[in-house]
Amino acid sequence: MDLNHVDRRRVLQLGGALAAAAGVGGLAGCSGSGDTGAAGSSGDKDKGAIRVWSWQGPAAELKALIPEFNKKYPDIKVTVEDIGNPAIWDKITTGMAAGGQGLADVLHIGVDYLPGYVEKFPGGLADLGPLGATAYQNAFAQGLWETVSPDGKRVNALPWEANSAGFYYRADLFEKAGVDGAALQTWDETIEAGKQIKARTGAHLLGIDKPASQADAANFFQMLLQLQGTFYFNLDGRIALASPEAVKAMTLIKTMNDAGLVSDLAGGWNTLMSSLKQGTAAVLPMPTWFGGVVEEQVPEQAGKWKVRLPPAVRRGGATAATVNSTHLAIAGTSKHQAAAWSFVEFVLTRPASQVAIYKGKGIAPALMKAYDDAVFHEPSPFFGGQKRGEIFLEALKAPQPAVNFTADYARALKLVTDAQSKVLLKGADPAKVLKEAAEQLATQTGRKVVR
């Protein structure tokens, strides 16, 4: 199985590695080339030899674009290396801790890792603004520019992939239970529908990794937060784990679980795939990329599935949220930053490049102009003739705030998953465990709690 989404399975380990590595040495005093990104020459935009680090599917698509790129830039030699995911995060951390030694020129980075690199290794990534990135400030899905340029000055990366929250559901089970999946407006309504589905079909509403056997066990909780326009931290970096929105999200999860509507997905990906094939859950609240997984894993279920944007947390609230994204950055110590930028610009700001990548691996582009292509507006036989691309395009067009993961996301994630497990396995009070988590995070990080 070729995963191209943001993989959080090593984010906890990475958090510790970043902290330790930052103590070893920053970019300011040491680099493989004897200069930093701030002081180094950007080189020639039309020639040079650059290396690119990515993983699996995305790496294959980047390689496939090189012949077309070389028609425009014949004197830039591009080597794409498939480092693997999650191995790439340790490799980038090690390179930055060594002052940039051995780093590739172009780095593929997930949204949950980017702030850690930026905060722990000042100068580790080049500022793309002077290279030309600011010309594309309005070219990407809403909220993403603020994610790569949180201070409005430096541009740390350029958005590539934008995955919106989705609500994939077994239309046949909904029909058997007499529930109209398209009509559900809120998660409270969805819980009531889940009771009907469970009674008439035996299927759970959805599944969660209850003991948090994997670091991504809080993905659904995170989705519910983002649908309310909030996250673990606010844009100032203060802790929002005990906010009314967070309590509402965890209370919804507790209500589902107490009603017997949540199956246990302990064991990670393999358990999720088993659940998918056995039809133990009627709903999969998953991002854009998961549609391709469903088609690949259960082709015999074609026509039984539908997809929509998630119900709102509160009536009339948002149904759109960009729940994860990936980006291309340039190493601050690269001697060929201008040539590297030529490649990044070709890949991420040229609609034809993004359309080719989408056709190859189903990676949803952050570049809004790419969605003019007919491929995003074709009916899907698997999803009953729905135009799946248009459904997620609606989400990308919707107003939504930037998300601040901060360098302390790993710590927050661990505390959240622990709190969720207490709620799911021990019936703990959501407000109480989230308040405790917020206070612990404040102690660990020195950050203020939003009051």
Side-chain angles (χ1 to χ4, degrees):
M1 180 64 216
D2 179 27
L3 303 183
N4 57 49
H5 59 286
V6 177
D7 188 334
R8 298 198 187 97
R9 295 180 185 178
R10 289 289 307 282
V11 76
L12 300 181
Q13 295 95 318
L14 179 77
L18 279 172
V24 173
L27 274 265
C30 142
S31 82
S33 60
D35 56 32
T36 67
S41 169
S42 65
D44 192 321
K45 73 179 183 66
D46 294 316
K47 63 183 179 182
I50 62 171
R51 290 188 300 143
V52 181
W53 282 357
S54 184
W55 62 84
Q56 288 104 0
E61 294 306 309
L62 290 174
K63 289 177 184 177
L65 286 175
I66 293 174
E68 193 67 23
F69 172 75
N70 282 145
K71 290 180 183 178
K72 184 174 182 179
Y73 296 99
D75 296 323
I76 298 178
K77 181 184 178 182
V78 181
T79 302
V80 175
E81 299 176 22
D82 177 357
I83 304 301
N85 184 345
I88 189 170
W89 314 123
D90 287 333
K91 197 170 179 69
I92 292 174
T93 302
T94 300
M96 287 194 175
Q101 287 185 351
L103 283 179
D105 302 276
V106 177
L107 307 170
H108 189 183
I109 301 177
V111 66
D112 39 1
Y113 295 92
L114 183 62
Y117 295 135
V118 171
E119 293 182 31
K120 300 297 183 183
F121 302 104
L125 299 178
D127 180 1
L128 304 188
L131 294 171
T134 51
Y136 301 103
Q137 184 168 350
N138 299 315
F140 303 100
Q142 294 197 35
L144 289 184
W145 188 261
E146 292 80 7
T147 299
V148 299
S149 181
D151 63 1
K153 298 174 184 176
R154 277 186 56 91
V155 183
N156 299 310
L158 216 58
W160 177 355
E161 177 181 15
N163 286 300
S164 299
F167 185 94
Y168 292 93
Y169 65 100
R170 281 283 298 270
D172 58 331
L173 296 180
F174 273 67
E175 184 177 351
K176 185 176 180 181
V179 175
D180 182 358
L184 298 173
Q185 295 185 39
T186 67
W187 279 100
D188 287 317
E189 288 183 7
T190 305
I191 291 172
E192 293 307 308
K195 294 175 183 176
Q196 197 166 318
I197 292 168
K198 180 78 180 293
R200 298 187 181 180
T201 71
H204 292 86
L205 178 63
L206 50 81
I208 296 175
D209 179 355
K210 295 184 182 184
S213 67
Q214 303 293 329
D216 56 6
N219 279 354
F220 180 53
F221 173 71
Q222 246 173 241
M223 174 192 290
L224 294 175
L225 283 186
Q226 290 185 246
L227 287 171
Q228 298 175 85
T230 188
F231 196 61
Y232 299 165
F233 307 92
N234 67 12
L235 294 184
D236 294 326
R238 289 184 294 165
I239 298 165
L241 289 185
S243 66
E245 292 84 3
V247 173
K248 173 65 174 176
M250 195 65 81
T251 300
L252 282 171
I253 290 173
K254 185 177 190 301
T255 302
M256 293 177 195
N257 191 58
D258 290 351
L261 304 181
V262 181
S263 64
D264 190 355
L265 295 180
W269 184 259
N270 290 337
T271 307
L272 175 59
M273 291 301 99
S274 176
S275 172
L276 172 64
K277 292 171 182 176
Q278 294 173 21
T280 57
V283 174
L284 290 164
M286 298 291 284
T288 311
W289 58 264
F290 198 75
V293 174
V294 176
E295 290 190 51
E296 179 183 285
Q297 292 292 314
V298 287
E300 70 280 3
Q301 293 180 15
K304 294 182 178 180
W305 285 87
K306 285 194 176 179
V307 62
R308 49 163 288 183
L309 298 184
V313 173
R314 290 183 170 84
R315 191 169 299 279
T319 60
T322 301
V323 292
N324 59 50
S325 55
T326 68
H327 315 273
L328 290 183
I330 295 175
T333 49
S334 169
K335 295 180 180 179
H336 306 286
Q337 290 180 11
W341 167 252
S342 293
F343 185 71
V344 169
E345 184 179 41
F346 184 87
V347 171
L348 300 185
T349 71
R350 178 177 172 265
S353 297
Q354 286 298 297
V355 169
I357 291 170
Y358 179 79
K359 289 178 177 178
K361 291 294 178 185
I363 299 174
L367 182 68
M368 295 304 290
K369 191 66 178 172
Y371 290 90
D372 290 346
D373 193 89
V375 70
F376 297 100
H377 307 276
E378 296 169 351
S380 165
F382 187 93
F383 288 95
Q386 285 185 296
K387 296 181 179 179
R388 183 159 55 102
E390 291 186 354
I391 292 169
F392 289 106
L393 175 57
E394 177 187 342
L396 293 178
K397 286 180 176 179
Q400 46 188 300
V403 177
N404 186 12
F405 280 80
T406 81
D408 292 315
Y409 173 67
R411 292 186 175 93
L413 183 61
K414 178 64 169 68
L415 290 167
V416 165
T417 54
D418 286 349
Q420 179 177 268
S421 291
K422 290 174 184 176
V423 169
L424 292 171
L425 299 177
K426 299 179 180 178
D429 175 60
K432 182 175 183 291
V433 294
L434 288 172
K435 184 174 185 292
E436 290 171 352
E439 290 171 349
Q440 289 179 56
L441 187 59
T443 300
Q444 291 176 12
T445 65
R447 294 180 184 271
K448 304 277 187 193
V449 177
V450 176
R451 301 295 181 186

